[in-house]
Amino acid sequence: TTQLSPHLALVERVHVHRTAYVGMVESTGSFFLPIPYAQEEVVGKRVMRGARTVWTSHGVVEDRRLAPSPDEQRLLLWERVALPDYRWRILDTSGGPVVTVAELTPLGHVEERGVHASPGYLVRFLGWSPDSRSIEAETELVEIAPNPDGGLGIQTFIRELWTIDASTGAAKRTERCTRPNDEWTDGPCADRPRAR
């Protein structure tokens, strides 16, 4: 069990496979050594508020990250890897049935809600606002312009900062910065600590 916030906890169900030996395969053949071996695999996840389940993983355990809002009324779920159905879901956990308040599809080209990133770049969660009404996020894009000398294209790195309304999922770009390289050491788009 991992405590996400004072009243929300992540409970993981783990399957442990144990064996009394380890198998080895080499070009000369295979053999087994009497060395105990154990492997753990997460087979289920739940977010709990007291005795009430707020969210449950379905089927294959998704590689998800979870971030409760400061007031614990909402829970943001997002994948760590770029899957075809990459989504950010904001769940209302305040009471009654758990509902999806907003859903974003922020990977690939410009999406319905306006948050976008270059293919292969994920939208990064930076944190909740102190009043729990919005989420701060960051995207990176790379634009390649033709090189007049005929060589490799000229890259421009773009970093955008977004504020996402936690009630509607509407996104507003708050900053757009460009650089000739991907070193963001100063300015409004400088690197800052990100959620784990």
Side-chain angles (χ1 to χ4, degrees), residues 86-90 102-106 113 115 164 168-171:
Y86 181 75
R87 297 275 189 273
W88 283 28
R89 291 176 52 210
I90 304 168
E103 188 167 287
L104 303 163
T105 55
R113 303 246 186 223
V115 180
I164 302 166
T168 65

Side-chain angles (χ1 to χ4, degrees), residues 143-155:
E143 290 182 350
I144 302 175
N147 188 332
D149 299 331
L152 295 174
I154 300 170
Q155 292 185 336

Side-chain angles (χ1 to χ4, degrees), residues 159-182:
R159 181 173 283 181
E160 297 177 329
L161 303 181
W162 299 84
T163 298
I164 302 166
D165 186 297
S167 297
T168 65
K172 178 183 176 187
R173 186 174 58 206
T174 57
E175 290 286 346
R176 179 179 169 92
C177 308
T178 61
R179 295 246 164 148
N181 55 48
D182 63 352

Side-chain angles (χ1 to χ4, degrees), residues 67-68 76 78 88 123-128 135-138 193-195:
L76 173 66
W78 77 101
W88 283 28
V123 177
R124 293 189 195 110
F125 170 71
L126 296 177
W128 283 89
I135 295 166
E136 302 302 317
E138 168 187 287
R194 298 183 182 114

Side-chain angles (χ1 to χ4, degrees), residues 30-111:
S30 60
F31 55 93
F32 295 93
L33 298 174
I35 301 172
Y37 175 76
Q39 178 181 358
E40 294 184 1
E41 178 184 11
V42 176
V43 294
K45 293 183 181 184
R46 286 185 300 163
V47 175
M48 306 290 294
R49 178 191 287 278
R52 186 170 75 93
T53 299
V54 172
W55 171 78
T56 303
S57 62
H58 299 288
V60 176
V61 176
E62 302 95 342
D63 192 11
R64 298 232 178 187
R65 291 191 180 184
L66 309 156
S69 61
D71 66 4
E72 297 185 324
Q73 302 302 302
R74 293 197 169 99
L75 178 68
L76 173 66
L77 304 164
W78 77 101
E79 286 90 357
R80 286 192 236 204
V81 294
L83 302 172
D85 61 346
Y86 181 75
R87 297 275 189 273
W88 283 28
R89 291 176 52 210
I90 304 168
L91 304 180
D92 182 349
T93 65
S94 58
V98 176
V99 297
T100 299
V101 177
E103 188 167 287
L104 303 163
T105 55
L107 181 68
H109 303 292
V110 178
E111 298 288 350

